[in-house]
Amino acid sequence: MTDYLWLLVALPLAGAVVNLFIGRRLGEKVAGWFGFGIVAAAFLIAFFAGVGFLGGDKLAETVLFFSWIPSVGADVAFLWDPLSVLLTLIVTGVGALIHLYSIGYMHGDARFPRFFAFLNLFIASMLILVLASNYALMFVGWELVGLSSYLLISFWFEKPSAAAAGKKAFIVNRIGDWGFLVALMIIFATFGTFDFQTIFAETPVLFGVGAGTITAITLLLFVGAAGKSAQIPLYIWLPDAMEGPTPVSALIHAATMVTAGVFMIARSAVLFDYAPTTAAIVAVVGAATALLAAVIAVAQTDIKKVLAYSTISQLGYMVLAVGVGAYSAGLFHLTTHAFFKALLFLGAGSVIHALAGEQDMRRMGGLRKVMPVTFITMGIAWLSIAGIIPFSGFWSKDEILAATFAKGGWWIGLWAIGIVVALITAFYMTRLFVMTFLGDSRAPEGVHPHESPATMTTPLIILAVFSAGIGGLNTPWQLVFEHYLEPAFAGVMHPAEAEFSTLFWLGAVALLVAVTGIVIAWRRYGRAELPAEDGSFWTNALGAFGVDDFYGRWIVAPGRRVAEWWASVFDPKVIDGGVHGIARLVTGSGDELRILQSGQVRWYASGVAIASVVLLVLFLILGGAF
Amino acid sequence: MTVTVTWYLLLGAALFSMGVAGVMIRRNALIMFMSIELMLNSVNLTFVAISKDLGLIEGQVAALFVMVIAAAEVTIGLAIIVAIFRKKASANVDELAELKG
Amino acid sequence: MQNVAFLPIAFEVVLLLGALIVLLVAVVAGKGRHIWGPIAGVTLAIASAIGFVQWREVADGGAGLFFSTMDVQIMRSPMVVLDGYSAFAALVLGLVGFFGLLAAWDLVVKVGRRGPEFVALVLLSVAGLHMMAATPNLVVIFLGLETASISFYVLAGFIRDDEASEESSLKYFLLGSLASALFVYGVALSFGATGGLSLYGANSIRDFFSSAIVAEPGILMAGLALMLVGLAFKVSAAPFHQWAPDVYQGAPSGAVGLMAAGVKVAGFAALGRIFVGGFVSQIDAWAPILAIIAALSMIVGTVMALVQTDLKRMLAYSGVAHAGYIMAALVAGVDGIPAMWFYVSTYAFMVIGAFAVVSVVSGPASSRAPLDDYRGLIKRAPEVGWLMTIIILGMSGIPFFAGFVGKLFSFISAASAQGLWPNGSNGYLWLVVVGTLTTVVGLAFYLRIISTMFSSGDHDDEPIEAGLPARFAIVISATVTVFFGIVPWLLLDVVRDALPL
Amino acid sequence: MGETITFIIFAAVAIAGAATMLMARNPVYSAVGLLSTMFAIAILYILLDAHLVAVVQVIIYAGAVMTLFLFVIMLIGVDRPGAYGERPLSQRIMTGVVAVGFFAALALAGRQAWVTGSSAFGAPDLNGTIETVADELFGTWTIVFLATVILLTIAALGTIALAYFDQDAEEEGAS
Amino acid sequence: MPVLTILILLPLVGALVVALLPTRRPELFHPVAIVASIPPLVVAGYLLWNFATGTPAFQFGEDVTFSGALDIGWRVAIDGISLFLIVLTALLFPLAIAASRSVTERVKTYMVLMLILEAGVLGVFISIDLLLFFAFFEIVLVPMYLLIRLWGSDNRAYASLKFVLFTAFGSAFLLASIIALAVITGDQVGLFTSFDFRNMLGTELSTTTQTWLFLGFGIAFAIKVPIFPFHTWLADAHTEAPTAGSVILAGVLLKMGTYGLLRFNLTLFPQASVDLSFWVALLGVIGIVYGAAVAIVQPDIKRLIAYSSVSHMGFIVLGLFAFTSQALQGSVFQMISHGLTTGALFLLIGMIYDRTHTRRIDDYGGLAAVMPVYAGIFLFSAFASAGLPGLSGFIGEFTILVGSYLTLPVLTIIAGSGVILAAIYLLWAYERVFTGPVTNPKLEGLADLGFREIAIMVPLVVLIVVLGVYPKPVMDRIEPSTNAILDRIEATTGFDVPEYGRSEDLPNLRYGDIERVESNEESGDHGGEG
């Protein structure tokens, strides 16, 4: 089956090309369904090629296509192992659903085919990222997803804000990529190759735990991860990215791309194992991000912004997990999150669609009657993310917290943060849910909400099913998921295991916290008129604590000033100034000499005479007459 | 003390230098020209003195040739000066300085 | 035997006869009709042919010293030398005269009844120029120098109703005579020091150096210094250059090309003959000074040309710079002679062409050629404009044009010369660097000329008609520039044999 | 001894004449000064046994050249006040310095020669009589002698070209 | 068959043909010129096809010595480094000429100059005689000067002169150094001088001499590249030059500098190169950051791209002086890639300039809505230039960075930041020009790219993708040559080159050896080609 793996990338790429060039002629229908079909096909291929791993009897294999940059030993090759299979399935699966959804959502858009072209391009890039068998190729995917996210965020480029958001996303990602790039340099300088398996095999041979080189590599890798997965301090691009069409937010900025960082850390698990310092930093950053984002999310009024910050916060969880060393837990949360967050976004999209583009929750409400499907599916997602048993979110989040707690020592502090975040999450998600669906409609006049078409609701339903049920894959009773992933983490030391009783009351605490959050929020927003949300906390949180302005004032502006000075002073005044100075010197001396050229014969004669005397003297000196 | 060639050479040198000075200091084209003639004379003196010293007749022949050349120079020179005088009614070279720079 | 004895002086004889015939014909047939023009042309052609014959003769081993008579008793010192050096000089000077006359033809027509004098003067001056290269005797070199100079004084002042012309004539005359006097005084002193007037032959300067060690270098050095002054003046090398711009500007444009080219060729021929041919044993004394003069000329010439607004002055100053480049070749002694010949011969053609263009555009008798007159030349006279572009590129030392090759060879000579100063090890590399740098600065004004010709001016719609002779001269000049730029070794293989005896 | 005295006298005369030429405000005086210098030099030639040269010197220079000069001076006119005004002091000083420097350089150049120079005029006693010179001139130097033809032709032509005015030449020149 | 001679001759013949066209048929000039620029491309293809992989030896060599004593000759040959630069040149010129539709006055002159320029540039890349190299290196100035001076925009007089004087100033030292080296070499091989590259490789030089000569060569190439403090001519020249001029300048002429550094400085003066490598690389890195930073704030789109060239060339310089196999290959590859991407960008700018006659970024906005195809290609080129993986720009920069880190870690890490800056200036420029609402009424109703213009862009786009996805064939041909240079450096100096990725040792040839020399002894008949 792996012989056909190249199709995984080739198909979406082909879809992108076709839609880009002849999509207009194909027409909306064909283009849309074509785009969807392609991804669905990819999903099936991946499924059949990867199904063997479920039994655990299939071994990871590397599929080499061709040698890419020989001098650095970078090949175009896929590593086909449980980890890549999992991600491939998520990407293609969720991707396919979102393609389907987009057919309805983007209906009537002027550049409909181009949208699907970009979506396909993204799928291809993402698959390159997850399937790569070496860091170089991974970096390719890494950047290409950045490209497609740029294209999709600024899809409605007529909106300056959209264009700016896309640019911001790409540039901030590039900052992270720089870290990744430097990490690659060190990796090559250390191992002389980029191939995962070689590197992971040699690490234990060459280094002991805590080796400086590895720490450096992992830290830089994490800079990259922080960029992609929107961690402190590079998370600022994600909220703006909501300028893109909602399906994009769902697919790229919730389900798949943003989790690339987590995936990459998981991929490099061996390295991170040998760099406990980095791991700790990763965990701390993750926790901090989760907390900060959650707090900010509380005050947001734009439905998509809330989801954006909640995404950041959830990513924080995942990063915390991988930092702790609970890779499978992190990936599990990644999986569940992919479903319920995609669902949330699509639901939100459906709502926005219904309200003709209205995104402010304060003008929503009472939608449960008019759009039941959306209401129910989103309800499931809400409970899931809030961490209510038995929905998937509960299991994955709980596992992370448990792993953190189990590490003991100061890690307990991180666990506490996690719990707090859980509380806040429950709170703001409830806030969102209540404000949107319950109460009476606050919709502006003339807007008549309606349920979305089948192309949009179908994905909602499917995702809802998964969000509800998938948690069962990895309960403390049977860790199907973890066992499935085991071969991918061969040679990685297992995270500390807490015994069952601990797990139990940990889970209980988490559940309790979640419920508390829900109750508080419900009591606060469950009434007819909304509570006034002014006061320094609300405004600051709404403004994301002015982090953007901070960057603007202390990083961007000074940089601009330096560049301006170089461009307007150093180049023309200093360098060219010097050059012109020389030129003036030459011509100036010419003008001086002109004065000697007075036209006076006697003067010339004197010149000749004087020169002759000088020559006489010179000759006498050189001739040894003196 | 007997007169050695040295004396003649020194005299020649002196006259030549005075010629140089004349060219440098006089403003009248004619007198500048005279100074040049003076220089040529001192050259001849030098030639002859040396030919006497070394017993080589060539020196004197050379002197003769220099005279011939000087003569030719004079005719042309005076012709030029006269021609210019026709226009400017002056042999003052300082007034001939429109070509410069 | 007889013809061999005649051949060495044939060049001068033919030119003298030619001049006399011209005058005769002018008297007989009347000055109005220009039939004497072709006569002069033929004469010069024959002269160059003689140069060629001499070259072959030398190639067949006919080189040698020649005396006034075959009478053995009085064969004291040789008066004529026939060697590759003189033969090549004859060839070049003949051609220079020929094309110089072509370039000057418009002027000849303009001066009307005084045309015959002009032509005759040209012929005789060429003879004088060649004397400087074809004799071993210092006095005769002086004679030739004066012969040429005097006729050039006249040519410079040929336009009598133009005060500028008169002025340049007088300046040229006074300063030139001064330089001549200095030169001949140098001759006298070196005669005193070495007891020889002849460079080669019996009891010559060469013998003196080969036999005796110089007991009293002082007088010798003074002699060398003064001779150098005289010749440096003639080739307008700094700091003896100041006459050149004024004279070239004042003199009628038609004649300047000939004057500039001829005097450079002969001047350097004499310089090479005396210093390399005769006083080569003193090279340690004169080479460094030659280098200094060369460097000065390059710098002064370039910098001054940069600030000129008049094309004639610009070219004059560039001539100063070129004098420097050529002189750089001579610091290498005899190794530099081929480079000198290559440079000076190609430069002669370039300068003739350039001034031919000047006389076409600004008028043959003009004494001024403001650069603005050349705006839009490429439109007004495309052919002339493009040829001028080629010539200018040649002068500026752009590769694949003769000027570059000339510079290259002379730089190579300078670099390979064993200089004693500033330090012995690396030749005159400092001179080479000065040369290359001034070449770059020079680009600034050469390109200014070109871009002026290309940029559009006020009179673009008025085409300029170039007379046939002038155009021919320009074409030849450009052709030489390109041809020897692309296949330099054709000329290089020749000049390699054009060494002094 | 007498020779020495003669030399000194006429050397002095020559210098004085040159000085006159240099200083005199009136070009006529300058001409006369130069004339006397030339006579003095002629005498010195005789002291040097260069009789022919001496004669030629008198004939050509004193006879022809200086006459020409005087003629031209007269033609141009002597008295044009201001035309020969004094040079500013600075220039005179500069000139003096240069001239003296020139002389000094030459004197130094010849230093050894001046001192070690042969006590009296050296070996073969040379007599610049007509025949000796003629021998040389028409023997060794014949060609050169002939070559002067070119020079003289040029001189003639040049004078014509420059000074010979006729009506239509004027017109053409003016055209 | 003297292929390379033919390669040089073809454009000249073409120029002649164009020059001889009747003046009263102006409509012919442009098409004929385009046609005339195709044959060199064909020959280049022939070279590419018949180039023997896996050997560092020079190929297609010709050796005709003109003057024995001076040892000057028509010595041409190519190795893996020059091969692709030739192909690049032969490719860019037809495109540049085809893009010159907007030239309306003195068309004939323009086309003739372009073709002469092509011959000159090709000559630079094939010469292995130092004098020949210098001649070509210098002659290129003339047509370029005239192109800028006559067909440039407002400030052309200043820009063109600045261009010439800057470059020629460098060449002054280059010529002096070449002569000095030739004299020294001549002494050692018993000739008067020798300009033969192969002889020069064998010359024994003291370290001081090496250093001086290195600087002499170096400054010429540094100005051409341009390396940091010498870069100011570039902005003006690029900005004022006509479209084709900018394309050729950025695409090919700058490469003459890096090519010279690689071909001559590294091989002739290995010791000096090693001693000075850090400082040169430092200047390169300064150039990367400085150029990028200045590009960010340029109000003029052409200036912006010009400064981006400074930045990109900085990468090449860094790679050259890191002395690792990867970095060297990367540098050579980056030369080609930069030629393609920047060429594409300048072509595109030219196309829009023909429509709007403004280069000010502020005059634009929302163009993507008006000219979608144009916007797409522009964005593509921009990302290619920003080194997006999968496109050619990435391969070069990536290999350079990875390779340079082995020997110059700190500098390389700083250089990496250039990646960020590139994204900033390109995307910001794109944002301001193409996105947002259409503000400037002049932009409404602009025609999108026509068939001709798209046809011009397609080859570049395709090549950028192909080289980005499958660079191996190119790398395989570059590697032997670059490794041979490294081996030489290793052998002549104590420097030890990191072995990573160095392929198995190559056929044992002294660097500079020529395989398949087609030498014919009768002198002169080849001279005409110069």
Side-chain angles (χ1 to χ4, degrees), chain A residues 66-72 74 76 111 114 136 139-141 143-144 147 150-151 154 157-160 163-167 170-171 174-178 181-182 184-186 188-192 194 560 563-564 566-567 570-572 575-576 579-580, chain E residues 158 162 166 228-229 231-232 236 289-290 293-294 297-298 307 326 329 368-369 372 379 383 386-390 394-395 398-399 401-402 405-406 412-413 416-417 419-420 423-424 427-428 430-431 434-437 468-472 475-476 500-501:
Chain A
F66 57 86
S67 161
W68 183 38
I69 313 178
S71 60
V72 296
V76 173
R111 293 189 291 271
R114 202 189 293 179
F139 188 71
V140 175
E143 291 259 323
L144 286 180
L147 166 70
Y150 167 82
L151 293 170
S154 49
F157 57 80
E158 294 88 346
K159 268 202 308 182
K167 179 195 65 181
F170 192 83
I171 290 171
R174 269 269 166 142
I175 297 172
D177 299 349
W178 171 78
L181 197 54
V182 178
L184 293 188
M185 301 175 197
I186 307 179
F188 185 78
T190 319
F191 299 98
F194 288 119
R560 277 293 297 279
E564 292 279 2
W566 280 347
F570 191 79
D571 247 22
I575 298 178
D576 273 358
V579 175
H580 295 153
Chain E
Y158 170 76
K162 194 176 183 182
F166 261 70
F228 163 57
H231 63 276
T232 51
D236 290 309
V289 178
Y290 183 91
V294 175
V297 295
Q298 288 304 321
Y307 274 104
Q326 296 80 8
Q329 294 175 47
L379 188 61
F383 272 114
L388 186 81
F394 173 74
I395 309 290
F398 184 68
T399 37
L401 289 173
V402 169
Y405 182 85
L406 300 174
T412 313
I413 292 176
S417 64
V419 177
I420 306 171
I424 296 176
L427 290 188
W428 194 40
Y430 181 86
E431 180 189 1
F434 289 92
T435 66
V469 174
Y470 193 51
K472 190 167 180 299
M475 290 294 197
D476 288 346
Y500 288 141

Side-chain angles (χ1 to χ4, degrees), chain E residues 335-350:
Chain E
M335 292 187 209
I336 301 146
S337 156
H338 177 259
L340 296 173
T341 54
T342 312
L345 282 169
F346 274 121
L347 282 169
L348 289 161
I349 293 170

Side-chain angles (χ1 to χ4, degrees), chain D residues 58-134:
Chain D
V58 174
I59 294 173
I60 292 190
Y61 272 118
V65 173
M66 289 322 294
T67 330
L68 257 175
F69 266 101
L70 282 166
F71 168 74
V72 173
I73 293 173
M74 296 311 166
L75 175 72
I76 292 178
V78 179
D79 44 357
R80 294 190 63 255
Y84 314 121
E86 283 302 324
R87 308 244 63 77
L89 185 63
S90 60
Q91 289 194 14
R92 296 162 72 186
I93 292 174
M94 181 186 78
T95 313
V97 170
V98 172
V100 172
F102 199 95
F103 178 75
L106 285 169
L108 282 169
R111 180 159 102 272
Q112 297 97 324
W114 305 156
V115 285
T116 67
S118 43
S119 61
F121 283 111
D125 187 16
L126 182 71
N127 227 344
T129 61
I130 295 191
E131 57 268 49
T132 44
V133 176

Side-chain angles (χ1 to χ4, degrees), chain D residues 7-98:
Chain D
F7 174 82
I8 295 173
I9 293 171
F10 285 100
V13 172
I15 299 283
T20 328
M21 184 212 73
L22 209 54
M23 305 297 179
R25 284 159 150 270
N26 185 329
V28 181
Y29 296 168
S30 305
V32 174
L34 184 57
L35 193 54
S36 47
T37 310
M38 288 170 169
F39 273 118
I41 291 180
I43 304 292
L44 295 180
Y45 287 155
I46 295 174
L47 281 186
L48 291 167
D49 302 334
H51 309 293
L52 179 63
V53 182
V55 173
V56 177
Q57 165 91 357
V58 174
I59 294 173
I60 292 190
Y61 272 118
V65 173
M66 289 322 294
T67 330
L68 257 175
F69 266 101
L70 282 166
F71 168 74
V72 173
I73 293 173
M74 296 311 166
L75 175 72
I76 292 178
V78 179
D79 44 357
R80 294 190 63 255
Y84 314 121
E86 283 302 324
R87 308 244 63 77
L89 185 63
S90 60
Q91 289 194 14
R92 296 162 72 186
I93 292 174
M94 181 186 78
T95 313
V97 170
V98 172

Side-chain angles (χ1 to χ4, degrees), chain A residues 235-236 239-240 292-293 295-297 299-300 305 309 537-550:
Chain A
Y235 66 89
I236 49 170
D240 297 29
L292 176 66
V295 173
I296 296 175
Q300 299 302 319
K305 281 279 167 71
Y309 280 106
F537 164 79
W538 290 101
T539 43
N540 288 338
L542 183 58
F545 301 112
V547 176
D548 273 353
D549 305 346
F550 176 84

